[in-house]
């Protein structure tokens, strides 16, 4: 039916008295009689048990007296389990520190919109490449991450002993958890597996721009494919992500090498296999500490002076042709890298790649091709990184399976988008704002909101009796597309008023026809 024009002006609501509650933070001044529990949060957490009982249940940060239930609590059977009694009020008013712990972040709405936008891009790229989503506990066994000796990650764990005397840790990365799940699934998960996850990780480390102690990471992994085609596919997915968010090959590149390069050099000098992981960790610091320090650490690890000089010369190579001249063309390292560059040309991202023999990645479980995404201007740390890890599963007592994958953190890419002026404008957008023109019509407005929500439309329902001036300001702030007004005379006729906020067009419509 044709739209019926509204009266020249809508009734104006009388402003209501706004009440404000000023938050107060009270401190507890009374002393608890039983010993308190200590909880330290540095690189390792420790819990000190009260001396009076070795088997007492521990509640971090709370004394036994705080947790004790009174007879009346037990008799009533109500309330929350473990709820605390209110602290007695004192004359002291003390504010708490409103900042999150060092190295962590809050996500207010505007930051959450950016995070969701980024994560949605992660997930959409994973979908385009046929990957399935998985996830794992944030809390894992400490042994899952410390099994590989010499990894840099060992000194960066947030780890502690739980109430069952088990050593646990907040996950610093996702790959060991992935390996655990693959082993758990066994033959019920037919190979190859193409899995991805976006998860929260924790590392106690020095913070720099784009590096935090708590961050989110996008991982994609291919399990069961030994060919270099798997690495080529993974790098292709990252390039696709970059293109989707506006990053080009002039902004970002990939440094590519192979752990087998180091293996071949060390083998020439009879360096024991058990030193390989330690050497990789040292070499990974090559752009972070002076070269003399690198030499000292390598010598302290048992590498001969002659081998160190040869190793550093090879690591300085930036051309695959030079590497082939140095190592010959018969080795696996050169063959794998040549194949990767040939595939990159077919995938269409050859110009994104550059060979850099010094790239080894810091984690000890990598075995073949490794790669890092880097900012070409050199202002930021590595954007992402990954590679092949064919011998990780035997570390956990299972048969090895060929595998490769990458990790892509959320913090560095956001810094890069800021640097390039590519952060998207992500204002709140609501389809409808619904307002009752009289306090007695708030129930009717709730009905209108329900009808629209049932049809899949977003609705911001004005929950108080507010003047129209306030409502229009609210509509502007939330970028509402239209304003639906519930007035007395219109409601009696089964109608509501509608105003299209972008054009100013306004009309009446039957409730049944409201879409």
């Amino acid at each position: 039916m044709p739209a019926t024009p509204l009266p020249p002006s809508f009734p104006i609501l009388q402003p209501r008295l706004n009440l404000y509650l000023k938050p107060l933070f009270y401190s507890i001044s009374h002393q608890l009689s039983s010993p308190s529990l200590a909880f330290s949060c540095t690189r390792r957490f420790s819990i000190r048990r009260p001396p009076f009982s070795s088997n007492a249940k521990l509640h971090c940060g709370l004394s036994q007296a705080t947790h004790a239930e009174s007879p009346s609590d037990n008799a009533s059977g109500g309330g929350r389990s473990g709820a605390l009694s209110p602290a007695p009020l004192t004359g002291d008013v003390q504010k708490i520190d409103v900042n999150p712990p060092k190295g962590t972040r809050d996500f207010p709405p505007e930051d959450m919109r950016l995070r969701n936008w980024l994560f949605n891009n992660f997930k959409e790229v994973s979908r385009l490449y046929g990957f399935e989503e998985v996830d794992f506990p944030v809390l894992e066994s400490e042994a899952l991450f410390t099994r590989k000796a010499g990894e840099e990650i060992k000194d960066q764990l947030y780890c502690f002993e739980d109430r069952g005397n088990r050593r646990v840790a907040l996950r610093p990365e996702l790959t060991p958890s992935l390996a655990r799940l693959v082993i758990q699934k066994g033959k019920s998960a037919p190979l190859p597996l193409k899995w991805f996850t976006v998860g929260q990780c924790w590392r106690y480390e020095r913070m720099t721009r784009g590096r935090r102690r708590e961050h989110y990471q996008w991982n994609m992994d291919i399990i069961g494919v030994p060919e270099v085609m798997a690495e080529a596919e993974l790098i292709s997915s990252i390039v696709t992500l970059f293109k989707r968010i506006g990053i080009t090959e002039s902004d970002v590149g990939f440094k590519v090498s192979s752990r087998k390069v180091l293996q071949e050099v060390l083998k020439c000098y009879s360096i024991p296999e058990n030193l390989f992981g330690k050497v990789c960790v040292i070499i990974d610091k090559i752009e972070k500490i002076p070269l003399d320090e690198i030499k000292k650490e390598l010598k302290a690890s048992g590498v001969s002076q002659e081998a160190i000089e040869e190793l550093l010369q090879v690591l300085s190579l930036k051309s695959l042709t030079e590497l082939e001249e140095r190592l010959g063309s018969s080795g696996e390292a050169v063959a794998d890298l040549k194949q990767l560059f040939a595939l990159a040309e077919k995938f269409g991202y050859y110009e994104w790649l550059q060979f850099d023999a010094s790239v080894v990645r810091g984690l000890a479980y990598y075995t073949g091709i490794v790669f890092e995404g880097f900012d070409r201007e050199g202002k930021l740390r590595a954007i992402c990184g990954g590679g092949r890890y064919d011998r990780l599963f035997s570390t956990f007592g299972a048969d090895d399976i060929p595998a490769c994958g990458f990790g892509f953190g959320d913090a560095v890419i956001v810094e890069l988008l800021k640097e390039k002026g590519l952060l998207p404008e992500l204002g709140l957008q609501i389809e409808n704002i619904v307002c009752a023109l009289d306090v007695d019509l708030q129930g009717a407005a709730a009905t209108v909101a329900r009808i629209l929500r049932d049809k899949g439309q977003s609705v911001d329902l004005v929950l108080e009796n507010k003047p129209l001036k306030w409502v229009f300001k609210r509509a502007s702030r939330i970028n509402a597309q239209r304003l639906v007004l519930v007035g007395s005379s219109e409601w009696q006729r089964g109608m509501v008023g509608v105003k299209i906020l972008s054009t100013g067009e306004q009309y009446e419509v039957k409730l049944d026809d409201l879409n």
Side-chain angles (χ1 to χ4, degrees):
M1 63 173 288
T4 305
L6 284 177
S9 61
F10 292 116
I12 304 299
L13 301 180
Q14 296 297 320
R16 302 176 63 197
L17 179 65
N18 292 320
L19 300 178
Y20 297 94
L21 295 177
K22 182 177 181 181
L24 298 177
F25 300 93
Y26 296 101
S27 63
I28 301 175
S29 61
H30 65 291
Q31 299 292 323
L32 299 177
S33 57
S34 60
S36 60
L37 301 179
F39 188 78
S40 66
C41 182
T42 56
R43 295 200 177 189
R44 290 180 178 266
F45 300 124
S46 62
I47 297 176
R48 185 167 66 247
R49 296 178 181 272
F52 56 81
S53 172
S54 61
N55 298 317
K57 289 288 184 180
L58 298 180
H59 300 275
C60 295
L62 302 174
S63 73
Q64 185 186 35
T66 309
H67 273 276
E69 291 183 339
S70 67
S72 60
D73 290 335
N74 292 328
S76 65
R80 297 181 182 179
S81 175
L84 303 180
S85 300
L89 302 183
T90 71
D92 297 330
V93 178
Q94 191 174 37
K95 288 187 177 181
I96 64 168
D97 183 359
V98 296
N99 295 308
K102 187 176 181 180
T104 67
R105 293 166 290 175
D106 291 317
F107 288 91
E110 61 275 11
D111 292 339
M112 198 67 193
R113 287 194 290 271
L114 177 62
R115 190 179 101 177
N116 286 338
W117 170 83
L118 182 61
F119 287 11
N120 288 339
N121 275 291
F122 289 160
K123 293 180 179 183
E124 178 59 15
V125 169
S126 301
R127 185 193 69 80
L128 290 173
Y129 280 75
F131 283 64
E132 293 186 282
E133 186 170 13
V134 294
D135 200 4
F136 329 100
V138 173
L139 190 68
E140 289 274 19
S141 166
E142 183 184 54
L144 191 67
F145 306 108
T146 60
R147 186 70 65 88
K148 268 283 190 183
E151 295 183 13
E152 64 163 10
I153 221 167
K154 193 170 182 179
D155 294 328
Q156 298 174 357
L157 290 179
Y158 279 92
C159 50
F160 59 98
E161 188 175 286
D162 69 7
R163 297 178 188 177
N165 300 321
R166 293 171 289 259
R167 295 295 306 176
V168 293
L170 297 177
R171 63 187 183 198
E173 56 160 333
L174 299 167
T175 305
S177 296
L178 171 95
R180 179 185 56 73
L181 181 58
V182 171
I183 294 169
Q184 179 197 118
K185 298 293 288 185
K187 293 182 180 179
S188 66
L191 302 178
L193 302 176
K194 295 171 69 177
W195 286 356
F196 85 93
T197 189
V198 180
Q200 189 180 37
C201 299
W202 297 81
R203 288 196 189 193
Y204 191 94
E205 59 183 348
R206 185 176 64 87
M207 291 181 297
T208 58
R209 186 181 179 191
R211 182 189 291 267
R212 298 177 180 276
R213 292 174 178 172
E214 167 264 349
H215 71 282
Y216 288 84
Q217 189 164 300
W218 171 42
N219 272 35
M220 291 178 70
D221 293 85
I222 299 175
I223 313 295
V225 177
E227 287 81 12
V228 176
M229 188 73 175
E231 287 96 320
E233 174 88 335
L234 290 173
I235 297 174
S236 175
S237 69
I238 304 173
V239 171
T240 299
L241 183 278
F242 282 140
K243 289 179 178 179
R244 284 178 64 92
I245 62 177
I247 299 295
T248 69
E249 66 272 20
S250 63
D251 302 316
V252 165
F254 290 89
K255 295 178 181 179
V256 179
S257 188
S258 173
R259 283 281 182 95
K260 294 175 183 178
V261 171
L262 282 183
Q263 285 179 321
E264 291 183 23
V265 174
L266 295 177
K267 188 176 181 181
C268 291
Y269 290 90
S270 302
I271 304 299
E273 181 70 23
N274 64 333
L275 288 181
F276 180 68
K278 185 179 290 187
V279 170
C280 288
V281 171
I282 296 170
I283 296 301
D284 189 52
K285 305 174 186 176
I286 208 162
E287 293 184 354
K288 304 168 189 174
I289 63 176
L291 194 59
D292 286 344
E293 291 296 319
I294 297 290
K295 292 179 179 180
K296 286 180 183 178
E297 290 193 26
L298 287 171
K299 191 169 184 178
S301 298
V303 182
S304 68
Q305 188 63 39
E306 187 181 8
I308 291 172
E309 295 302 326
E310 174 69 14
L311 187 60
L312 292 177
Q313 285 183 25
V314 171
L315 292 175
S316 67
L317 299 178
K318 306 297 181 185
S319 163
L320 195 52
T321 303
E322 291 177 335
L323 180 70
E324 188 172 1
E325 292 173 354
R326 193 94 182 197
L327 299 181
S329 57
S330 60
E332 289 184 10
V334 172
D336 288 350
L337 288 165
K338 287 175 71 174
Q339 186 181 1
L340 178 63
F341 276 84
L343 288 169
E345 195 165 4
K346 300 299 183 183
F347 272 103
Y349 61 81
Y350 182 87
E351 65 276 10
W352 293 70
L353 300 189
Q354 72 177 51
F355 172 72
D356 187 334
S358 67
V359 175
V360 295
R361 304 292 295 157
L363 297 172
Y365 53 68
Y366 288 117
T367 57
I369 285 177
V370 286
F371 54 87
E372 285 185 356
F374 70 99
D375 163 30
R376 290 194 186 273
E377 292 187 359
K379 295 181 179 180
L380 301 169
R381 60 184 291 265
I383 301 167
C384 58
R388 180 160 290 277
Y389 53 95
D390 286 348
R391 293 198 292 272
L392 176 61
F393 292 90
S394 60
T395 303
F396 305 124
D399 294 335
D400 275 325
I401 308 172
C404 59
F406 70 79
F408 191 118
D410 68 320
V412 181
I413 189 61
V414 169
E415 290 298 321
L416 181 62
L417 290 170
K418 288 179 183 176
E419 189 74 29
K420 302 297 180 182
L422 293 172
L423 282 178
E425 294 183 7
L426 300 167
L428 178 63
Q429 291 186 328
I430 300 293
E431 290 170 296
N432 304 277
I433 181 167
V434 175
C435 176
L437 293 175
D438 189 279
V439 67
D440 295 332
L441 292 172
Q442 287 184 326
T447 298
V448 173
R450 173 181 56 80
I451 291 171
L452 289 170
R453 288 165 178 161
D454 287 347
K455 294 178 179 179
Q457 295 196 32
S458 57
V459 177
D460 181 48
L461 177 62
V462 178
L463 302 174
E464 301 173 273
N465 190 14
K466 292 287 190 180
L468 276 180
K469 183 178 179 182
W470 184 94
V471 175
F472 277 106
K473 285 183 178 179
R474 170 77 177 175
S476 176
R477 190 178 71 80
I478 64 174
N479 295 317
Q481 295 176 14
R482 65 179 181 177
L483 170 62
V484 180
L485 292 167
V486 183
S488 180
S489 61
E490 292 84 6
W491 187 253
Q492 289 175 9
R493 291 183 282 113
M495 312 278 283
V496 292
V498 176
K499 185 178 181 70
I500 306 300
L501 295 169
S502 60
T503 65
E505 177 190 2
Q506 55 189 45
Y507 54 86
E508 287 183 354
V509 64
K510 282 187 175 180
L511 190 61
D512 293 340
D513 297 332
L514 185 61
N515 291 310

